Amino acid sequence: MFHLCSLLLLVFSFHATSTGDFSTYIVHLDPSSRPEHFTTHQQWHSSIVSVAKSSNSFLYSYENALHGFSAVLSQQELQTLQNLPGFLSAYKDKLVTMDTTYTPEFMSLNPSTGLWPASKFGEDVIIGVIDTGIWPESPSFSDHGMIYTSKLPSKWKGTCQEGQDFNSSLCNSKLIGARYFNKGVKAANPNATLTMNSARDTIGHGTHTTSTAAGNYVEGASFFGYADGVARGMAPRARVAMYKVIWDEGRYASDVLAGMDQAVADGVDIISISMGFDGVPLYEDPVAIASFGAMEKEILVSSSAGNGEPRGIPLHNGIPWMLTVAAGNFDRTFAASLTLGNSNDKEQQRVIVGRSMFPLDAWVKNETLIYNKTLSKCDSLELLSQAPRAIIVCEDTGFLDFQMRAISSVTNLAGAVFVSNDPSPVEFEFMSCPGVLISATELATVIHYINSSDNPIAAIKFRQTVTGKEVAPSVTDYTSRGPSPNCPAVLKPDVMAPGSLVLASWIPDDYTAAVGKNTLLSSEGFNLISGTSMACPHASGVAALLRGVHPEWSHAAIRSAMMTTATELDSSMMPIKDVGQNFTVASPLAMGAGHIVPNLAMDPGLVYDAAPQDYVSLLCSMNFTRNQIMTITRSNNYDCANSSLDLNYPSFVAFYDKNVTTGAMLKHRFRRVVTNVGAAATTYKVKVAPPEGVKVAVWPQSLVFGKKNEQRDYYVEIVYPSDGQGRVLYGSIVWSEESGSHVVRSPIVVAPTSAGK
C-alpha cells in the first residue's frame, strides 16, 4: 500500500511541476522495491513516467546489466522521483563518442591505459598493405596531429611513386609510400588499357583495409548516419605504405609477389594482406613464398583466412610463418524502429526495434499497415504494383534478398516489414527500400495488432545504431575453417578479429547504397563491408602496436602473444558460438585461439618463439623436394637434419584416420619451448582441459624461471581412441603464473584427417 500511495503522490507531483526545461535522465532503481501489482519491471518503469501526461517520454527499461530506466524529465520531476522508495541515483544522459568507429572500443583499446598509450598509438611503426590501392585524399590518411613525427624513420627506403592522377605530393607523414605493380596484369591483358595506372584505388578494398589498420582520427564518420562517431584505425599513429597489386582488369600472383617483395625491401614492420590463393601448395603460393622472406627479417605478415563458407572452401593463408585471421561478429547492429499505432500518441503505441540499413534520413510516418496472404509473399511485381499505398508486412519465404528487390521495384508502397526466422546476424550491407527486418516472434505481435485494430497504422524511423545489446563475439558464417590444406600439422586459423559490417574509409566516386531501382548513393568517403579482409587489418594494427611496445620481439613472439591471450569467451562469459554451425560452441578450427584481446597481448608472460630454421625443419618433413623447399627458402644455409612436423607453436593439433579400427588407441607427442618475457623470476603451473574422451598428459607440471628471457621446455602426450565417427574434439592447455596474473592458454584439437575437406 505504501508503494501505491507513493506512486499517487508522484502522479500529483508530476502534474504540478511539469514545467521548465526537460532533459534525458538515466534513473537507477532498486528492483526489490517494485510494487506487487506490477508484473514486470518494465510496467513499473513506464508507469512512473507515463503518469506525467506532459511532453516527457519514456525511452528504455533496463533489466539486465543494470536496473532502471531512461526518460525525459524536468528538474522538478526528477526531484520528486528521487523521493520514491527504491530510487538509487540519476544523472543526465551523456553524448556518446563511438570509436573503425566502434571496433577499437569493442576490443577494449583505451586512450588512457593499456596498449594504445604504451605503444604511442603505433608511432613510427610502418604497416605495408598489399591491396587494391589507396585514396590518398581520404581524411583517414591525413597526417594531422603527426607533426612531431614528421621525420621519417631511418629504416624507411620506400617512395611515393607517381602515376595517373597520383603525384608524390599526395604522400605525407601518415601515408609515407605508395607503389603499384601491373606487369602481371598487363601481360595477361596485352590489349587492355588500365583504368587507373597508379596506386590510386578504384575498387575501395585497399582504402578500407588500410584505414582499418592505421587510419588517422576522423570526426563525423558514418555510413549514411549509421555507425556515426570518430573513425580511427587500430594503430592511428602508425605509418602506412600501399602496394597496389590488384586491378580492375585482373589480379595475378606475379604482381602480388612483386608488391610483397618491395615492401620487405622498403623496410616495413608489418605486412597486411587481405587476399590469398586457394588450392595451391606452399611452394606455389606467392603469399607463402614472399612471407617467408619477410619472416626472415622479422616482419610479421598478417593475412585473412578467406570467405569460403558456407560453400565448404577451406581457409587459405594457412601458412606456418604467418598470422592467419578469422572473422567475428561484434555487438553493433543497425536498426529502425517500427511503431505500431499513431506515432503522435505515445500512450497507445508499441515500438519494435528491428534491423535496417536504409540509407536515407527518412521517417515513414503513420501509414496504413497491411498483411494478407495474397500480397505478403512479396514476390510478385504485378501484385505489389496494384497494392494500395501502405507499409506491407512480408512473410518469411526464405528469399529475403528477392523480396527486398521486389519492394524496391515498385513505387506505390510506403515501406515494408520483412521477417526472418534465421537467428544469425543479418549482414546485408544496404537496404534499397524503406524497410525493417523483425523476428518471427515480433511478427506475431504485428499481426495481432493489425487484426485487432479498425485502422492499423505504423511508422518506421531509420538510422539507429545499437551497441552492447548483442552477445559477442561470435564466429561469422562466412569465415573459412581449418585445418590448413597445405600444412595441416599447424593449427589454423590463429585468432579471430572483427570482420562484419566494419566502417572504414572508401573511395568517394563509387556508390555504396541504392534507393529503388535507379538511384545510387555515395556515403561520403566511408563504407560498411564484411569479410575476413576486414578482420585481417584489425590484427595487423594490433601487431603494429605490439611492435611499438616490444621492438625486440620476433614475429613469432608477437603472434604468440596475440594467440595465448585471446579469449574463448563471449560477453556473457560463455564459450564463443559459431553462427555457421547453428550457434554451437566454436571450434579452434573456426576461430583459432579465440578473439584478440590487445591489452593482454602486451604482457603475455610466456611466448612460443620460432626461427627460420624451425620452419625449414617443418618443410623438410612434408615430402617436398629440395627444389620445392628452396623455392620458399631461397637458401642452402638451412638443413634438414632435424626435420619435424612438431613446430614450436602456441597450439596443438593431432589428426587420426577415422577408418582405423574402432577402439584402437592413437598417440601423439609434442615438445614445446616457452620464453619468459614477464617477471624476472616466476613459476607457472599447468592445467589441462582435455577434449572429450581424450587423455592429455603434460610434463613437467610446473615451469620455474630464474630470470627474464629464460627458456623452459615441456612435453604433451595426447592419447585418444578411434571412434569411427570422425568427430572434431577440442580442449586447452593453460599455464598459470603462481604469484602473478599471467595466464597462457593454448588450444588443442583432435580431428580426423578429413576435417575441413
Side-chain angles (χ1 to χ4, degrees):
M1 176 62 95
F2 177 79
H3 292 306
L4 181 58
C5 291
S6 298
L7 181 60
L8 292 174
L9 175 62
L10 183 64
V11 172
F12 176 78
S13 299
F14 270 18
H15 277 299
T17 63
S18 57
T19 59
D21 293 334
F22 289 83
S23 299
T24 299
Y25 288 90
I26 297 172
V27 181
H28 294 261
L29 302 174
D30 177 0
S32 67
S33 298
R34 186 185 79 194
E36 294 181 358
H37 64 280
F38 291 116
T39 58
T40 68
H41 290 298
Q42 185 168 351
Q43 288 179 347
W44 179 35
H45 302 161
S46 59
S47 67
I48 292 174
V49 178
S50 63
V51 293
K53 303 294 184 183
S54 66
S55 60
N56 58 8
S57 62
F58 179 82
L59 300 180
Y60 292 105
S61 177
Y62 308 114
E63 302 180 42
N64 299 296
L66 64 157
H67 193 90
F69 62 86
S70 56
V72 178
L73 303 169
S74 71
Q75 183 64 41
Q76 290 176 308
E77 289 168 342
L78 176 66
Q79 291 174 356
T80 303
L81 186 150
Q82 290 171 338
N83 297 319
L84 184 69
F87 175 86
L88 297 176
S89 65
Y91 45 84
K92 283 186 179 182
D93 202 3
K94 299 176 177 62
L95 290 174
V96 176
T97 301
M98 300 182 67
D99 300 319
T100 115
T101 53
Y102 179 64
T103 49
E105 180 180 344
F106 177 71
M107 297 170 74
S108 299
L109 286 169
N110 187 304
S112 301
T113 63
L115 183 55
W116 256 355
S119 66
K120 298 182 180 179
F121 302 86
E123 184 176 302
D124 273 353
V125 179
I126 304 171
I127 302 176
V129 183
I130 314 296
D131 219 301
T132 65
I134 196 166
W135 195 268
E137 295 89 353
S138 167
S140 292
F141 309 124
S142 163
D143 60 3
H144 177 73
M146 299 180 69
I147 55 174
Y148 298 109
T149 59
S150 58
K151 184 179 179 181
L152 298 182
S154 59
K155 62 189 172 186
W156 176 243
K157 309 300 180 185
T159 188
C160 194
Q161 183 180 1
E162 296 195 340
Q164 182 181 350
D165 295 341
F166 201 112
N167 59 60
S168 60
S169 65
L170 292 172
C171 290
N172 54 31
S173 294
K174 162 62 74 173
L175 176 61
I176 63 173
R179 298 180 187 265
Y180 56 100
F181 304 87
N182 56 24
K183 293 180 180 179
V185 70
K186 282 185 172 182
N189 303 275
N191 298 320
T193 300
L194 297 181
T195 304
M196 182 61 65
N197 194 22
S198 70
R200 183 173 293 278
D201 192 0
T202 58
I203 298 173
H205 189 274
T207 299
H208 196 280
T209 57
T210 306
S211 59
T212 300
N216 208 340
Y217 300 84
V218 182
E219 295 185 0
S222 76
F223 178 80
F224 299 103
Y226 296 98
D228 59 313
V230 179
R232 52 187 169 186
M234 293 294 103
R237 288 294 185 247
R239 320 279 192 153
V240 296
M242 170 53 62
Y243 299 85
K244 179 177 177 178
V245 300
I246 302 298
W247 304 84
D248 292 330
E249 293 75 19
R251 53 194 72 181
Y252 294 90
S254 55
D255 293 332
V256 174
L257 279 168
M260 294 184 70
D261 186 64
Q262 188 62 58
V264 172
D266 286 347
V268 303
D269 297 294
I270 307 292
I271 290 178
S272 184
I273 179 165
S274 291
M275 67 185 76
F277 294 83
D278 294 318
V280 292
L282 292 175
Y283 51 83
E284 292 181 359
D285 187 335
V287 176
I289 295 166
S291 61
F292 190 93
M295 173 273 299
E296 290 179 305
K297 295 183 178 297
E298 295 300 356
I299 298 169
L300 183 136
V301 181
S302 172
S303 64
S304 53
N307 305 326
E309 293 294 337
R311 295 166 292 161
I313 300 173
L315 62 76
H316 55 218
N317 293 328
I319 300 163
W321 43 88
M322 289 173 56
L323 177 71
T324 310
V325 188
N329 298 302
F330 55 104
D331 61 351
R332 180 176 67 188
T333 57
F334 305 115
S337 57
L338 171 66
T339 301
L340 306 178
N342 192 318
S343 61
N344 297 319
D345 187 351
K346 297 185 182 300
E347 291 187 13
Q348 300 299 319
Q349 65 186 224
R350 170 68 185 273
V351 178
I352 297 172
V353 178
R355 301 198 180 207
S356 182
M357 289 184 67
F358 185 62
L360 298 184
D361 188 13
W363 190 355
V364 180
K365 190 173 183 180
N366 298 338
E367 296 282 354
T368 300
L369 184 65
I370 61 173
Y371 174 80
N372 65 63
K373 293 294 184 181
T374 302
L375 291 175
S376 288
K377 290 189 180 299
C378 296
D379 60 358
S380 169
L381 292 179
E382 181 180 356
L383 291 175
L384 289 172
S385 64
Q386 298 172 15
R389 177 175 176 82
I391 298 173
I392 187 170
V393 179
C394 297
E395 294 180 337
D396 181 10
T397 64
F399 297 98
L400 179 61
D401 288 344
F402 182 83
Q403 290 178 317
M404 288 184 183
R405 289 195 297 270
I407 298 297
S408 298
S409 298
V410 297
T411 58
N412 51 305
L413 290 170
V417 178
F418 301 104
V419 181
S420 175
N421 281 317
D422 185 355
S424 64
V426 178
E427 291 161 352
F428 50 81
E429 294 180 356
F430 60 82
M431 182 180 282
S432 58
C433 62
V436 58
L437 179 70
I438 64 174
S439 69
T441 301
E442 292 162 335
L443 172 64
T445 301
V446 173
I447 293 176
H448 175 75
Y449 165 71
I450 293 173
N451 292 336
S452 61
S453 176
D454 294 332
N455 180 31
I457 60 175
I460 307 175
K461 180 67 175 174
F462 301 97
R463 289 189 173 181
Q464 299 180 28
T465 301
V466 180
T467 60
K469 299 292 186 181
E470 301 281 341
V471 174
S474 60
V475 179
T476 67
D477 59 356
Y478 56 79
T479 190
S480 294
R481 270 61 172 174
S484 168
N486 53 15
C487 187
V490 177
L491 179 59
K492 292 286 183 171
D494 295 314
V495 290
M496 182 172 73
S500 290
L501 294 178
V502 173
L503 182 77
S505 292
W506 199 253
I507 58 176
D509 59 353
D510 181 38
Y511 80 93
T512 52
V515 175
K517 292 193 300 181
N518 302 314
T519 303
L520 304 179
L521 304 175
S522 173
S523 52
E524 298 183 355
F526 285 85
N527 198 5
L528 284 163
I529 58 176
S530 302
T532 56
S533 283
M534 286 63 255
C536 167
H538 280 91
S540 306
V542 172
L545 297 174
L546 293 173
R547 175 67 81 202
V549 176
H550 299 289
E552 77 282 3
W553 279 7
S554 69
H555 73 284
I558 292 173
R559 179 182 59 208
S560 174
M562 296 170 73
M563 292 176 64
T564 61
T565 59
T567 181
E568 80 279 24
L569 302 177
D570 61 26
S571 55
S572 69
M573 300 308 293
M574 296 297 290
I576 291 172
K577 305 303 189 298
D578 189 339
V579 175
Q581 297 294 322
N582 297 316
F583 284 86
T584 55
V585 175
S587 159
L589 293 178
M591 67 173 183
H595 198 281
I596 295 172
V597 183
N599 291 326
L600 291 181
M602 179 175 62
D603 183 20
L606 304 176
V607 296
Y608 295 76
D609 215 341
Q613 179 61 58
D614 297 315
Y615 299 114
V616 175
S617 296
L618 174 68
L619 293 173
C620 293
S621 65
M622 295 179 66
N623 295 320
F624 291 168
T625 67
R626 177 181 177 277
N627 286 348
Q628 290 168 344
I629 294 174
M630 283 282 293
T631 299
I632 300 169
T633 65
R634 312 170 330 284
S635 173
N636 281 316
N637 293 330
Y638 302 112
D639 65 68
C640 288
N642 297 303
S643 62
S644 173
L645 288 172
D646 190 18
L647 180 67
N648 195 46
Y649 216 74
S651 57
F652 302 85
V653 58
F655 290 98
Y656 66 92
D657 185 350
K658 66 179 180 180
N659 297 318
V660 170
T661 304
T662 301
M665 299 305 292
L666 308 172
K667 185 183 294 185
H668 205 113
R669 183 174 290 187
F670 304 85
R671 175 179 179 264
R672 292 292 185 268
V673 178
V674 288
T675 303
N676 175 31
V677 294
T682 188
T683 300
Y684 285 81
K685 295 284 188 180
V686 73
K687 183 177 180 180
V688 178
E692 180 186 355
V694 177
K695 294 181 179 180
V696 179
V698 180
W699 69 94
Q701 295 276 299
S702 62
L703 299 174
V704 180
F705 297 90
K707 58 183 179 180
K708 189 173 183 178
N709 295 323
E710 195 169 45
Q711 294 185 331
R712 291 289 183 265
D713 63 354
Y714 69 92
Y715 296 86
V716 176
E717 185 173 83
I718 298 175
V719 180
Y720 45 101
S722 176
D723 61 6
Q725 298 181 31
R727 293 185 299 165
V728 175
L729 307 171
Y730 41 91
S732 64
I733 292 174
V734 179
W735 290 98
S736 299
E737 194 173 22
E738 275 195 330
S739 58
S741 59
H742 296 112
V743 177
V744 185
R745 187 179 62 88
S746 295
I748 302 171
V749 170
V750 176
T753 52
S754 59
K757 295 181 180 178

